[in-house]
């Protein structure tokens, strides 16, 4: 049967310079293995499937798949799915706020002009990395672990381990290994000089299903957990703008701010590039 479909570019003000996500609307009735098969065929980092919510507190439900597995939460699929839902005629039950249901629970989303922003979910794992893990990550990044300013678990679902380097220049200079025998999800961040347009540069490295270490262009979940980490440690103040994707030819721009309740909000542009239907 035909189902509505969108391709959305997320976290860039310029089309084709952010991170794309495929969104299948009207996904009710699709089995998990069908969703995984469609995702592999799309061959993007994530494909999402929109469904009716299971709670009156949510406006819609989303299931998020990578080429290998289903994820409880991911950032750029959250904003891309919300943009697709709104552009397809979705109307939030509460003015000014959209609520997404996903594996990580209920995620509030705000619309601020051309940008959408999601509330960063709580970390499910934090704390310092063990020395063995730091050594493993250093080998993968091909740098000495003594260059780590800090390193910690900053996992909000995907499994991120965070590494802070001394500068954005150091982050952009990284040339990691091409493959790794076990799963890695590494987020690396470094500050730009004071007064720069961007506050931080981020890079996200992850193992795919074949053990290849890949780089994600722009990563909402990582920016969310990095913001929580840096703000809590006093290494950042909000609002700030982060850059990601520079090393792979993208221009990701992530807008971080906090509210009166100290909730971290992660915002960016979401542009519908392709609109149509697929026959499943």
């Amino acid at each position: 049967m035909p189902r509505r479909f969108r391709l959305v570019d997320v976290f860039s003000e310029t089309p084709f310079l952010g991170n794309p996500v495929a969104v299948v609307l009207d996904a009710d009735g699709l089995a998990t293995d069908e969703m995984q098969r469609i995702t592999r065929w799309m061959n993007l980092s994530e494909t999402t499937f929109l469904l009716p919510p299971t709670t009156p507190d949510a406006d819609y439900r989303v299931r998020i798949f990578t080429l290998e597995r289903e994820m409880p939460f991911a950032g750029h699929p959250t904003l891309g799915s919300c943009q697709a839902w709104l552009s397809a005629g979705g109307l939030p039950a509460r003015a000014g706020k959209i609520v997404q249901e996903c594996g990580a629970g209920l995620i509030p989303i705000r619309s601020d002009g051309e940008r959408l922003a999601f509330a960063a979910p709580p970390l499910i794992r934090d704390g310092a990395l063990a020395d063995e893990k730091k050594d493993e990550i250093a080998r993968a990044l091909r740098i000495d672990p003594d260059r780590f300013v800090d390193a910690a678990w900053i996992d909000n679902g995907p499994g991120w381990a965070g590494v802070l380097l001394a500068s954005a220049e150091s982050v952009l200079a990284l040339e990691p290994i091409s493959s790794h025998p076990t799963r890695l999800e590494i987020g690396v961040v470094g500050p730009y000089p004071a007064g720069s347009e961007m506050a931080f540069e981020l890079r996200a490295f992850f193992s795919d299903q074949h053990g290849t270490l890949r780089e994600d262009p722009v990563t909402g979940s990582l920016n969310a957990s990095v913001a929580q980490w840096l703000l809590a440690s006093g290494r950042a103040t909000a609002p700030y703008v982060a850059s990601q994707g520079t090393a792979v030819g993208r221009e990701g721009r992530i807008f971080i701010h906090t509210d009166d309740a100290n909730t971290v909000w992660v915002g960016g542009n979401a542009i519908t590039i392709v609109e149509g239907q697929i026959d499943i």
Side-chain angles (χ1 to χ4, degrees), residues 126-148:
D126 59 10
L129 299 180
D131 288 342
E132 294 82 2
K133 188 66 177 180
K134 287 192 285 188
D135 289 342
E136 179 187 22
I137 290 172
R139 288 193 298 271
L141 297 177
R142 296 202 292 196
I143 62 174
D144 193 296
D146 289 342
R147 292 181 58 191
F148 292 5

Side-chain angles (χ1 to χ4, degrees), residues 88-101:
L91 295 173
R94 293 148 289 272
K97 183 173 79 170
I98 304 101
V99 179
Q100 171 183 285
E101 180 185 357

Side-chain angles (χ1 to χ4, degrees), residues 137 139-142 173-179 186 203 205 213-215:
I137 290 172
R139 288 193 298 271
L141 297 177
R142 296 202 292 196
L174 291 172
E175 295 182 358
I177 60 177
S178 59
S179 62
I186 309 168
R203 295 179 72 179
F205 304 103
L213 197 64
R214 301 176 61 184
E215 181 165 359

Side-chain angles (χ1 to χ4, degrees), residues 42-105:
M42 293 290 181
N43 202 33
L44 296 173
S45 59
E46 285 99 0
T47 295
T48 68
F49 300 84
L50 302 194
L51 302 150
T54 63
T55 169
D57 295 327
D59 292 299
Y60 63 87
R61 180 164 65 100
V62 64
R63 296 182 67 180
I64 303 168
F65 287 80
T66 71
L67 298 179
E68 181 186 8
R69 56 183 173 141
E70 184 172 3
M71 301 279 281
F73 173 76
H76 98 273
T78 290
L79 296 191
S81 296
C82 183
Q83 169 63 22
W85 182 77
L86 291 170
S87 69
L91 295 173
R94 293 148 289 272
K97 183 173 79 170
I98 304 101
V99 179
Q100 171 183 285
E101 180 185 357
C102 61

